[in-house]
Amino acid sequence: MMLPVGALILVLASAFVHALWNVLFARASRGMAGLAVTNAAGFVLWAPVALARWRIETPAWPYLLVNAAFQAYYLFVLNRAYARAPAHTVYPVARGLGPVLVLAAAAAGGAHLSWWAVVAVGLISAGVWLTVTGTVDRRVFTAAFPVAISLAAYPFVAAHGLRYADPATYLWLSLAPLTAGTLAIALVTARTGLRAEIRPATIVTGAGMVTAGGLAMAALAMASPAQVPAIAALRETGILFMVPLSWLISRTFSSRVALGAVVVFAGVAVLAVR
């Protein structure tokens, strides 16, 4: 089954926005105060969209709560992974593994997967892996694997929950526990730093985070269960945009990363033409 054109456009736009705010704010504070303000900014800015499109049915709540739990889990395992292995190695390994795990979960769930979808997911994952700039050893893999599980679980669960809710509403409600939790922790552990983090960088980062998430949710809402692996893989195409954006900002270029972008583009092309 061909991926809807609208879903393809939405998820590629999500990947671009994700890459944009990551490149622009790569040096932003990663402390608890910065994280709390970023989450709160995104939550507040997304509120008008969620409320204007409000739709949430009772069957959506179990899925929504699981998604909220996975968001908290993602934050925990990502910070733990970065403490155990270099971020520039852990992150692409986790992002490359995520779509493969979604593919495996979809197959285990009985979804009919076409050969071209499997090839496209494989190409995109391989391209992301090519962006790894360090050695992938057992330490890196064990640190990245829990992150990949959370990346895989989120779209898989959301695809079911979105049958009963508007994407904007679903995203906003799933962000509420994490936003409240990080603010509560920051008020206890980093209260003096909260005011300093209320600045353009954190506000725009929060806006970028929710916009990228909202676009991805809208794409998932348009996809069938068998198309979730393709959507999950396309979320990782940010590398396509990271290469030119990084060059424009820092004038840095890596032939290996560029090759990874080409392989990712090949995967996207397979999804687009089939």
Side-chain angles (χ1 to χ4, degrees):
M1 184 183 298
M2 184 176 181
L3 193 68
V5 175
L8 179 64
I9 294 172
L10 284 169
V11 75
L12 289 176
S14 170
F16 172 74
V17 174
H18 186 272
L20 183 61
W21 69 256
N22 269 274
V23 169
L24 292 176
F25 300 103
R27 297 180 181 180
S29 172
R30 292 185 178 85
M32 181 53 67
L35 180 63
V37 172
T38 298
N39 286 338
F43 185 78
V44 171
L45 291 171
W46 196 249
V49 182
L51 294 173
R53 297 182 55 88
W54 187 268
R55 183 176 72 86
I56 181 77
E57 300 172 20
T58 301
W61 285 102
Y63 298 106
L64 196 150
L65 293 174
V66 172
N67 271 143
F70 269 114
Q71 284 186 331
Y73 171 77
Y74 172 76
L75 183 64
F76 171 75
V77 295
L78 186 65
N79 286 333
R80 188 180 181 187
Y82 286 170
R84 294 185 172 187
H88 62 268
T89 303
V90 168
Y91 189 76
V93 170
R95 306 298 293 200
L97 279 173
V100 176
L101 294 178
V102 176
L103 192 70
H112 176 69
L113 303 173
S114 59
W115 67 267
W116 56 266
V118 175
V119 169
V121 171
L123 284 171
I124 292 171
S125 293
V128 174
W129 269 67
L130 281 171
T131 67
V132 177
T133 57
T135 302
V136 180
D137 53 20
R138 182 177 178 181
R139 177 174 59 99
V140 170
F141 187 83
T142 54
F145 193 72
V147 181
I149 291 175
S150 65
L151 290 171
Y154 192 90
F156 191 74
V157 175
H160 292 280
L162 287 168
R163 292 178 296 176
Y164 311 106
D166 180 83
T169 307
Y170 190 94
L171 175 64
W172 190 64
L173 290 174
S174 70
L175 289 172
L178 181 61
T179 302
T182 53
L183 271 176
I185 295 172
L187 285 170
V188 174
T189 63
R191 187 167 187 170
T192 56
L194 281 172
R195 184 180 294 274
E197 290 297 340
I198 303 176
R199 53 197 176 90
T202 49
I203 303 302
V204 175
T205 300
M209 288 174 63
V210 294
T211 300
L215 291 168
M217 285 287 182
L220 280 169
M222 298 174 64
S224 68
Q227 294 168 335
V228 173
I231 296 292
L234 284 168
R235 290 178 67 202
E236 313 310 335
T237 57
I239 185 60
L240 284 172
F241 309 107
M242 290 288 281
V243 173
L245 286 172
S246 296
W247 184 85
L248 286 171
I249 293 172
S250 61
R251 291 297 190 269
T252 58
F253 178 82
S254 166
S255 58
R256 180 181 172 126
V257 172
L259 175 61
V262 171
V263 176
V264 169
F265 181 79
V268 175
V270 172
L271 287 175
V273 301
R274 294 296 301 181

